[in-house]
Amino acid sequence: MNKLFIEAGHKNTSESHFLKAIIKTYFPDKQVEFEYMDGLGNLFNETIINQIKVAQTEGDAVLVFVDCDTIEKKGGYDKRKAYIDKKSQENGIVFPYFLYPDNHSDGEVEQLMSAVARRDLHKLFFDCFEDYENCIKGAKDKATGELMYKAPDIKSKLNAYIRSQRLSSRERSRIGGGDWLFENTNYWDLSSEKLKPLIDFLKANLR
């Protein structure tokens, strides 16, 4: 068994469904069970540490997935890696971990999702949305010069992307549960080279 500890708080999240789709596509014979940490801050709490130790004692493979985030968000690849290495040593545990988006750059899982979105098929959506983003970012209060609006983040953009598609009622109900139809090649390209670092990590560590 493979135990995947992810940053999401529950199964009905885009991160959870994204990983499940990738594993189903590339590693359909692997047995995988997800553990939901509800944030990086919980990775080294007593409950999660005990779960990791028990799983490893029972012979399960333990893999951890978290966002690097950015320096602006008090994160970044170097800081995140140093934190996990230090806390792992302090707690006497070792496990392979993947830092989104590609195990070496600052960012988050949604950037990897964005990289495999079918821009070739939906160029008009992205052009229109980015025009909207630029308009929002440029809107300033005439009196104070301050920005009037908060531009949507990348997760909001991807949510808008999938929700704007012409979907069946069944597909829309799936989206409501955090499933953004990642297996559907009309919207996502899971054969993209952008996924190679993640695929290589899974190939090296899944049992």
Side-chain angles (χ1 to χ4, degrees):
M1 176 65 72
N2 297 279
K3 296 288 186 74
L4 276 56
F5 288 76
I6 70 172
E7 205 168 337
H10 53 83
K11 66 179 181 179
N12 294 324
T13 59
S14 55
E15 179 193 3
S16 175
H17 286 289
F18 184 55
L19 263 181
K20 286 177 182 177
I22 290 168
I23 291 168
K24 185 177 180 180
T25 299
Y26 288 92
F27 308 98
D29 60 327
K30 301 296 185 182
Q31 288 188 303
V32 171
E33 187 175 290
F34 283 74
E35 301 289 346
Y36 304 98
M37 298 188 293
D38 195 19
L40 172 66
N42 289 324
L43 174 55
F44 294 101
N45 69 23
E46 186 176 357
T47 300
I48 298 294
I49 290 172
N50 287 340
Q51 284 181 293
I52 290 173
K53 287 182 176 179
V54 168
Q56 291 178 330
T57 298
E58 293 178 348
D60 295 328
V62 170
L63 288 69
V64 172
F65 300 81
V66 296
D67 290 337
C68 281
D69 285 321
T70 60
I71 294 171
E72 291 76 19
K73 291 183 177 181
K74 299 182 180 180
Y77 174 79
D78 292 336
K79 184 174 182 179
R80 200 64 85 222
K81 184 177 187 305
Y83 169 77
I84 293 175
D85 290 345
K86 179 176 181 291
K87 296 294 286 185
S88 295
Q89 186 176 23
E90 289 175 357
N91 287 280
I93 54 175
V94 177
F95 49 78
Y97 58 88
F98 187 87
L99 297 175
Y100 293 119
D102 56 17
N103 231 8
H104 65 81
S105 303
D106 294 356
E108 54 202 354
V109 65
E110 286 82 11
Q111 286 180 301
L112 187 55
M113 296 175 189
S114 180
V116 301
R118 293 297 305 268
R119 290 173 179 266
D120 56 326
L121 298 182
H122 302 285
K123 182 177 183 298
L124 183 58
F125 169 86
F126 287 102
D127 286 348
C128 290
F129 197 94
E130 283 154 17
D131 285 345
Y132 158 72
E133 284 181 301
N134 290 332
C135 182
I136 290 293
K137 289 175 183 177
K140 295 183 179 180
D141 186 283
K142 292 181 179 179
T144 65
E146 295 179 353
L147 293 175
M148 295 176 65
Y149 306 108
K150 185 180 183 298
D153 60 17
I154 192 168
K155 187 171 185 177
S156 298
K157 181 177 183 176
L158 293 174
N159 187 39
Y161 164 63
I162 195 63
R163 286 183 179 276
S164 71
Q165 306 299 334
R166 298 179 65 85
L167 305 174
S168 67
S169 297
R170 181 176 177 277
E171 288 172 326
R172 290 206 177 275
S173 69
R174 287 176 59 187
I175 290 172
D179 182 350
W180 289 354
L181 313 176
F182 290 108
E183 81 288 350
N184 193 318
T185 56
N186 289 320
Y187 312 125
W188 313 96
D189 179 14
L190 296 189
S191 67
S192 170
E193 278 293 306
K194 297 291 186 179
L195 288 177
K196 189 175 187 306
L198 178 56
I199 301 301
D200 288 348
F201 173 82
L202 290 167
K203 186 182 295 184
N205 293 290
L206 288 175
R207 294 179 186 169

